[in-house]
């Protein structure tokens, strides 16, 4: 493993990028708020700071104790699979009913507190988020020398902040392209398929299937 700070930084950045680009519940919520142009900065900050806390716990505190196949990893994996399956069913239902577009329209003027609460819920109640940040990032971070771990952490967080704010404000800039119920029916259907695929990947990682 490259011991130079820039090499460690890039390893952390590359790992986080490979995990965060997957369309999960957090990303979908950030996109939704970006399209609604509703408290985008606050939502992005909540998601990025949550990543900062979870990855710090994984890298600096308990990452070394988390291994593929461990009981905690299996518990988080099962929780993540259930969460993603429920999210997939919800997305397919929204695609059928065309209800997500109406929710986006209605949330355009939502107060800050409920939006932040939803951002926290979609993060803290999602075991998939813990699996990515605490288990995967933490277990790989545990292989790095203590003196180099801060560089690894900075690389991880650089990508996290850049991703969420880019996603939120990028969605806001493209909101006119998705200003129709038909577009959101297609998006919801695709999200449902992606959630099923993510559930499969988690099962494959945790249970070695």
């Amino acid at each position: 493993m490259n011991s130079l700070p820039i090499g460690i930084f890039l390893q952390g950045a590359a790992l986080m990028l490979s995990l965060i680009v997957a369309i999960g519940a957090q990303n979908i919520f950030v996109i939704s708020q970006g399209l609604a142009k509703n408290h985008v900065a606050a939502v992005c900050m909540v998601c990025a700071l949550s990543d900062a806390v979870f990855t710090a716990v994984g890298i600096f505190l308990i990452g070394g104790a988390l291994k593929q196949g461990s009981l905690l990893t299996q518990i988080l994996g099962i929780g993540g699979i259930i969460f993603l399956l429920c999210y997939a069913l919800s997305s397919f239902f929204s695609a059928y009913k065309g209800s997500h577009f109406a929710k986006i329209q209605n949330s355009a003027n939502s107060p800050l507190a409920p939006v932040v609460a939803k951002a926290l819920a979609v993060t803290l109640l999602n075991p998939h988020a813990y699996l990515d940040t605490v288990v995967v990032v933490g277990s790989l971070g545990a292989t790095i020398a203590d003196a180099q771990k801060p560089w690894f952490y900075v690389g991880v967080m650089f990508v996290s902040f850049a991703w969420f704010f880019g996603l939120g404000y990028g969605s806001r800039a493209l909101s006119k392209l998705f200003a129709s119920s038909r577009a959101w029916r297609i998006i919801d259907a695709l999200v449902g398929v992606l959630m099923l695929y993510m559930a499969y990947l988690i099962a494959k990682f945790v249970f070695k299937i």
Side-chain angles (χ1 to χ4, degrees), residues 91-128:
S91 296
F92 287 135
F93 182 77
S94 294
Y96 174 72
K97 299 289 289 186
S99 57
H100 201 161
F101 177 70
K103 292 178 182 178
I104 293 294
Q105 296 296 98
N106 293 335
S107 68
N109 297 310
S110 297
L112 176 62
V115 172
V116 170
K118 289 179 181 178
L120 288 171
V122 81
T123 300
L124 301 179
L125 301 180
N126 178 8
H128 179 214

Short mmCIF file of all heavy atoms in Angstrom, two decimals, residues 91-128:
data_model
loop_
_atom_site.label_atom_id
_atom_site.label_comp_id
_atom_site.label_asym_id
_atom_site.label_seq_id
_atom_site.Cartn_x
_atom_site.Cartn_y
_atom_site.Cartn_z
N SER A 91 -40.92 2.43 -4.30
CA SER A 91 -40.63 3.08 -5.59
C SER A 91 -41.51 2.52 -6.70
O SER A 91 -42.03 3.26 -7.54
CB SER A 91 -39.15 2.90 -5.95
OG SER A 91 -38.32 3.55 -5.01
N PHE A 92 -41.69 1.20 -6.70
CA PHE A 92 -42.56 0.59 -7.72
C PHE A 92 -44.01 1.05 -7.56
O PHE A 92 -44.71 1.29 -8.54
CB PHE A 92 -42.48 -0.94 -7.63
CG PHE A 92 -41.19 -1.52 -8.13
CD1 PHE A 92 -40.53 -2.50 -7.41
CD2 PHE A 92 -40.62 -1.08 -9.32
CE1 PHE A 92 -39.33 -3.03 -7.86
CE2 PHE A 92 -39.42 -1.60 -9.79
CZ PHE A 92 -38.78 -2.58 -9.05
N PHE A 93 -44.43 1.20 -6.30
CA PHE A 93 -45.79 1.69 -6.05
C PHE A 93 -45.94 3.13 -6.53
O PHE A 93 -46.96 3.49 -7.15
CB PHE A 93 -46.10 1.60 -4.55
CG PHE A 93 -47.50 2.04 -4.19
CD1 PHE A 93 -48.58 1.20 -4.42
CD2 PHE A 93 -47.72 3.28 -3.62
CE1 PHE A 93 -49.87 1.60 -4.10
CE2 PHE A 93 -49.00 3.70 -3.29
CZ PHE A 93 -50.08 2.86 -3.53
N SER A 94 -44.92 3.96 -6.26
CA SER A 94 -44.95 5.35 -6.72
C SER A 94 -44.95 5.42 -8.25
O SER A 94 -45.62 6.27 -8.84
CB SER A 94 -43.75 6.12 -6.16
OG SER A 94 -43.83 6.25 -4.77
N ALA A 95 -44.20 4.51 -8.89
CA ALA A 95 -44.17 4.47 -10.35
C ALA A 95 -45.55 4.12 -10.90
O ALA A 95 -46.00 4.69 -11.91
CB ALA A 95 -43.13 3.47 -10.83
N TYR A 96 -46.23 3.20 -10.25
CA TYR A 96 -47.56 2.77 -10.69
C TYR A 96 -48.60 3.87 -10.48
O TYR A 96 -49.42 4.15 -11.36
CB TYR A 96 -47.96 1.51 -9.94
CG TYR A 96 -49.38 1.05 -10.21
CD1 TYR A 96 -49.73 0.49 -11.44
CD2 TYR A 96 -50.36 1.20 -9.23
CE1 TYR A 96 -51.03 0.08 -11.69
CE2 TYR A 96 -51.66 0.80 -9.48
CZ TYR A 96 -51.99 0.24 -10.71
OH TYR A 96 -53.29 -0.16 -10.95
N LYS A 97 -48.53 4.51 -9.30
CA LYS A 97 -49.53 5.52 -8.95
C LYS A 97 -49.18 6.92 -9.48
O LYS A 97 -50.03 7.79 -9.55
CB LYS A 97 -49.69 5.59 -7.44
CG LYS A 97 -50.15 4.29 -6.80
CD LYS A 97 -51.60 3.99 -7.11
CE LYS A 97 -52.53 4.93 -6.37
NZ LYS A 97 -53.95 4.55 -6.54
N GLY A 98 -47.90 7.13 -9.80
CA GLY A 98 -47.48 8.47 -10.22
C GLY A 98 -47.52 9.47 -9.09
O GLY A 98 -47.75 10.66 -9.31
N SER A 99 -47.26 8.98 -7.86
CA SER A 99 -47.43 9.83 -6.68
C SER A 99 -46.18 10.60 -6.28
O SER A 99 -46.27 11.59 -5.56
CB SER A 99 -47.88 8.97 -5.49
OG SER A 99 -46.95 7.93 -5.25
N HIS A 100 -45.01 10.16 -6.75
CA HIS A 100 -43.78 10.82 -6.32
C HIS A 100 -43.69 12.25 -6.84
O HIS A 100 -43.23 13.15 -6.15
CB HIS A 100 -42.57 10.00 -6.79
CG HIS A 100 -41.33 10.30 -6.01
ND1 HIS A 100 -40.25 9.46 -5.98
CD2 HIS A 100 -40.99 11.36 -5.22
CE1 HIS A 100 -39.31 9.98 -5.21
NE2 HIS A 100 -39.73 11.12 -4.75
N PHE A 101 -44.13 12.46 -8.07
CA PHE A 101 -44.09 13.81 -8.63
C PHE A 101 -44.92 14.77 -7.79
O PHE A 101 -44.51 15.91 -7.53
CB PHE A 101 -44.60 13.79 -10.07
CG PHE A 101 -44.67 15.15 -10.71
CD1 PHE A 101 -43.51 15.83 -11.03
CD2 PHE A 101 -45.89 15.76 -10.98
CE1 PHE A 101 -43.56 17.08 -11.62
CE2 PHE A 101 -45.94 17.01 -11.56
CZ PHE A 101 -44.78 17.67 -11.89
N ALA A 102 -46.08 14.30 -7.34
CA ALA A 102 -46.94 15.15 -6.50
C ALA A 102 -46.25 15.47 -5.18
O ALA A 102 -46.33 16.60 -4.68
CB ALA A 102 -48.28 14.45 -6.24
N LYS A 103 -45.53 14.48 -4.62
CA LYS A 103 -44.81 14.73 -3.37
C LYS A 103 -43.71 15.76 -3.57
O LYS A 103 -43.48 16.60 -2.71
CB LYS A 103 -44.22 13.42 -2.85
CG LYS A 103 -45.25 12.41 -2.37
CD LYS A 103 -44.58 11.13 -1.92
CE LYS A 103 -45.60 10.08 -1.49
NZ LYS A 103 -44.94 8.82 -1.08
N ILE A 104 -43.02 15.66 -4.71
CA ILE A 104 -41.96 16.63 -5.01
C ILE A 104 -42.54 18.03 -5.11
O ILE A 104 -41.99 19.00 -4.56
CB ILE A 104 -41.25 16.26 -6.33
CG1 ILE A 104 -40.48 14.96 -6.17
CG2 ILE A 104 -40.30 17.38 -6.77
CD1 ILE A 104 -39.33 15.03 -5.21
N GLN A 105 -43.66 18.15 -5.82
CA GLN A 105 -44.30 19.45 -5.97
C GLN A 105 -44.75 20.02 -4.63
O GLN A 105 -44.58 21.20 -4.35
CB GLN A 105 -45.51 19.32 -6.91
CG GLN A 105 -45.16 18.92 -8.34
CD GLN A 105 -44.31 19.97 -9.04
OE1 GLN A 105 -43.09 19.85 -9.12
NE2 GLN A 105 -44.93 20.99 -9.55
N ASN A 106 -45.30 19.14 -3.78
CA ASN A 106 -45.82 19.60 -2.49
C ASN A 106 -44.72 19.94 -1.50
O ASN A 106 -44.95 20.68 -0.55
CB ASN A 106 -46.73 18.52 -1.89
CG ASN A 106 -48.01 18.33 -2.69
OD1 ASN A 106 -48.45 19.23 -3.39
ND2 ASN A 106 -48.60 17.14 -2.61
N SER A 107 -43.53 19.38 -1.70
CA SER A 107 -42.44 19.62 -0.76
C SER A 107 -41.63 20.87 -1.09
O SER A 107 -40.70 21.20 -0.36
CB SER A 107 -41.50 18.41 -0.74
OG SER A 107 -40.81 18.29 -1.97
N ALA A 108 -42.01 21.56 -2.15
CA ALA A 108 -41.22 22.70 -2.60
C ALA A 108 -41.11 23.79 -1.54
O ALA A 108 -40.11 24.49 -1.48
CB ALA A 108 -41.82 23.27 -3.88
N ASN A 109 -42.14 23.93 -0.71
CA ASN A 109 -42.12 24.98 0.30
C ASN A 109 -42.17 24.42 1.71
O ASN A 109 -42.66 25.09 2.62
CB ASN A 109 -43.31 25.94 0.07
CG ASN A 109 -43.22 26.66 -1.27
OD1 ASN A 109 -42.18 27.23 -1.61
ND2 ASN A 109 -44.29 26.63 -2.04
N SER A 110 -41.66 23.22 1.91
CA SER A 110 -41.68 22.60 3.23
C SER A 110 -40.75 23.35 4.19
O SER A 110 -39.69 23.83 3.79
CB SER A 110 -41.24 21.14 3.14
OG SER A 110 -42.13 20.40 2.35
N PRO A 111 -41.12 23.44 5.46
CA PRO A 111 -40.25 24.08 6.46
C PRO A 111 -38.94 23.32 6.61
O PRO A 111 -38.85 22.13 6.29
CB PRO A 111 -41.09 24.02 7.74
CG PRO A 111 -42.50 23.84 7.29
CD PRO A 111 -42.41 23.03 6.03
N LEU A 112 -37.95 24.00 7.14
CA LEU A 112 -36.62 23.40 7.28
C LEU A 112 -36.61 22.19 8.21
O LEU A 112 -36.01 21.15 7.89
CB LEU A 112 -35.63 24.46 7.78
CG LEU A 112 -34.20 23.97 8.08
CD1 LEU A 112 -33.55 23.43 6.81
CD2 LEU A 112 -33.37 25.10 8.68
N ALA A 113 -37.24 22.29 9.37
CA ALA A 113 -37.16 21.24 10.38
C ALA A 113 -37.64 19.87 9.87
O ALA A 113 -36.95 18.87 10.04
CB ALA A 113 -37.92 21.65 11.64
N PRO A 114 -38.82 19.78 9.23
CA PRO A 114 -39.26 18.48 8.73
C PRO A 114 -38.34 17.91 7.65
O PRO A 114 -38.14 16.69 7.58
CB PRO A 114 -40.66 18.77 8.16
CG PRO A 114 -41.12 20.00 8.84
CD PRO A 114 -39.87 20.80 9.06
N VAL A 115 -37.76 18.77 6.82
CA VAL A 115 -36.86 18.32 5.77
C VAL A 115 -35.58 17.75 6.37
O VAL A 115 -35.10 16.68 5.96
CB VAL A 115 -36.53 19.49 4.80
CG1 VAL A 115 -35.44 19.07 3.81
CG2 VAL A 115 -37.78 19.91 4.04
N VAL A 116 -35.03 18.44 7.36
CA VAL A 116 -33.83 17.94 8.04
C VAL A 116 -34.14 16.63 8.76
O VAL A 116 -33.32 15.69 8.75
CB VAL A 116 -33.30 18.99 9.04
CG1 VAL A 116 -32.21 18.39 9.94
CG2 VAL A 116 -32.75 20.19 8.29
N ALA A 117 -35.32 16.54 9.37
CA ALA A 117 -35.72 15.31 10.06
C ALA A 117 -35.80 14.14 9.08
O ALA A 117 -35.37 13.03 9.40
CB ALA A 117 -37.07 15.51 10.75
N LYS A 118 -36.32 14.39 7.88
CA LYS A 118 -36.39 13.33 6.87
C LYS A 118 -35.00 12.94 6.39
O LYS A 118 -34.73 11.75 6.16
CB LYS A 118 -37.24 13.81 5.69
CG LYS A 118 -38.72 13.91 5.99
CD LYS A 118 -39.51 14.41 4.78
CE LYS A 118 -40.99 14.54 5.10
NZ LYS A 118 -41.76 15.06 3.94
N ALA A 119 -34.12 13.93 6.26
CA ALA A 119 -32.74 13.62 5.86
C ALA A 119 -32.05 12.76 6.91
O ALA A 119 -31.33 11.81 6.58
CB ALA A 119 -31.97 14.92 5.64
N LEU A 120 -32.27 13.06 8.17
CA LEU A 120 -31.70 12.26 9.25
C LEU A 120 -32.30 10.86 9.27
O LEU A 120 -31.59 9.86 9.47
CB LEU A 120 -31.93 12.95 10.60
CG LEU A 120 -31.10 14.19 10.88
CD1 LEU A 120 -31.59 14.89 12.14
CD2 LEU A 120 -29.62 13.83 11.02
N ALA A 121 -33.60 10.78 9.03
CA ALA A 121 -34.27 9.47 9.05
C ALA A 121 -33.76 8.57 7.93
O ALA A 121 -33.48 7.39 8.15
CB ALA A 121 -35.79 9.66 8.93
N VAL A 122 -33.64 9.14 6.73
CA VAL A 122 -33.21 8.33 5.59
C VAL A 122 -31.75 7.92 5.73
O VAL A 122 -31.29 6.99 5.05
CB VAL A 122 -33.45 9.08 4.27
CG1 VAL A 122 -32.35 10.08 3.96
CG2 VAL A 122 -33.64 8.12 3.11
N THR A 123 -31.04 8.58 6.64
CA THR A 123 -29.64 8.24 6.92
C THR A 123 -29.51 7.31 8.11
O THR A 123 -28.95 6.22 8.03
CB THR A 123 -28.81 9.51 7.17
OG1 THR A 123 -28.87 10.35 6.01
CG2 THR A 123 -27.36 9.17 7.45
N LEU A 124 -30.06 7.73 9.25
CA LEU A 124 -29.87 6.99 10.50
C LEU A 124 -30.67 5.70 10.56
O LEU A 124 -30.28 4.77 11.28
CB LEU A 124 -30.24 7.89 11.69
CG LEU A 124 -29.45 9.20 11.82
CD1 LEU A 124 -29.93 9.99 13.02
CD2 LEU A 124 -27.96 8.91 11.92
N LEU A 125 -31.78 5.63 9.83
CA LEU A 125 -32.61 4.42 9.86
C LEU A 125 -32.27 3.47 8.72
O LEU A 125 -32.97 2.47 8.53
CB LEU A 125 -34.09 4.81 9.80
CG LEU A 125 -34.60 5.70 10.94
CD1 LEU A 125 -36.08 5.99 10.75
CD2 LEU A 125 -34.35 5.03 12.29
N ASN A 126 -31.22 3.79 7.98
CA ASN A 126 -30.84 2.97 6.83
C ASN A 126 -29.59 2.16 7.16
O ASN A 126 -28.47 2.69 7.14
CB ASN A 126 -30.57 3.89 5.63
CG ASN A 126 -30.11 3.13 4.40
OD1 ASN A 126 -30.12 1.90 4.37
ND2 ASN A 126 -29.70 3.85 3.38
N PRO A 127 -29.72 0.86 7.46
CA PRO A 127 -28.54 0.04 7.78
C PRO A 127 -27.53 -0.01 6.65
O PRO A 127 -26.34 -0.23 6.89
CB PRO A 127 -29.14 -1.35 8.05
CG PRO A 127 -30.57 -1.09 8.40
CD PRO A 127 -30.97 0.09 7.56
N HIS A 128 -27.99 0.21 5.41
CA HIS A 128 -27.06 0.20 4.28
C HIS A 128 -26.01 1.29 4.43
O HIS A 128 -24.84 1.12 4.05
CB HIS A 128 -27.85 0.39 2.98
CG HIS A 128 -27.00 0.41 1.76
ND1 HIS A 128 -27.29 1.19 0.66
CD2 HIS A 128 -25.85 -0.22 1.45
CE1 HIS A 128 -26.36 1.02 -0.25
NE2 HIS A 128 -25.49 0.17 0.19
#
